[in-house]
Amino acid sequence: MNVLYTARALATGDGRDGQARTDDGKLVVDLASPAQMGGDGNGTNPEQLFAAGYAACFHSALRVVARRAKADVTGSTVRAEVDLGSIGSGAFGIGVRLEVSLPELDAEEARTLVDAAHQVCPYSNATRGNVDVQLTLAAAGVAA
């Protein structure tokens, strides 16, 4: 891989109940386990950070493939949902659902772009074969 950029972050405290910060200080977040997992929920959590990162990265990849295809992605959005669950033997795993909205495109063109973005997106490439990623269109002609 030809490295174009390296992000650096440090987590401190008690893992899910601590703090994370980037080396440049642009991101500093308090971490807290979600209430659904017995935490106080008074901070963000790794799944929320992953969801935000995946949504932004996928949206960027979508815009790249749309530009190549000369497709109109005005008003496009990507919503990510990241599930955390038990996968047996005391281990945990995640699942991802991406809902893409492409209001200026018909469903067939939207699906083609979403599938192409899934091949380009670094998060999709990192999770492929290891994490179940479901891609849906927000509505006919609106999302993929």
Side-chain angles (χ1 to χ4, degrees):
M1 178 172 73
N2 178 27
V3 176
L4 302 174
Y5 169 75
T6 300
R8 292 176 181 84
L10 176 69
T12 58
D14 191 18
R16 289 181 167 274
D17 296 298
Q19 190 177 76
R21 66 180 61 231
T22 56
D23 65 336
D24 62 6
K26 292 182 179 177
L27 176 69
V28 178
V29 293
D30 291 327
L31 302 171
S33 293
Q36 298 91 326
M37 292 177 55
D40 65 20
N42 289 328
T44 192
N45 60 65
E47 293 71 37
Q48 289 174 321
L49 295 170
F50 189 77
Y54 204 158
C57 189
F58 195 90
H59 199 197
S60 181
L62 183 68
R63 295 182 71 76
V64 166
V65 298
R67 189 169 41 253
R68 291 175 185 164
K70 296 181 178 26
D72 184 0
V73 293
T74 302
S76 62
T77 62
V78 177
R79 176 187 312 275
E81 294 181 350
V82 174
D83 299 318
L84 172 68
S86 173
I87 58 173
S89 302
F92 297 90
I94 60 172
V96 175
R97 289 181 304 283
L98 298 177
E99 180 184 71
V100 182
S101 175
L102 293 162
E104 300 301 319
L105 303 179
D106 65 41
E108 183 178 340
E109 188 175 12
R111 172 53 62 191
T112 298
L113 286 180
V114 167
D115 291 344
H118 193 44
Q119 297 306 308
V120 171
C121 176
Y123 276 59
S124 293
N125 288 323
T127 59
R128 187 168 286 110
N130 189 42
V131 172
D132 180 33
V133 177
Q134 298 174 19
L135 305 170
T136 61
L137 294 172
V142 177

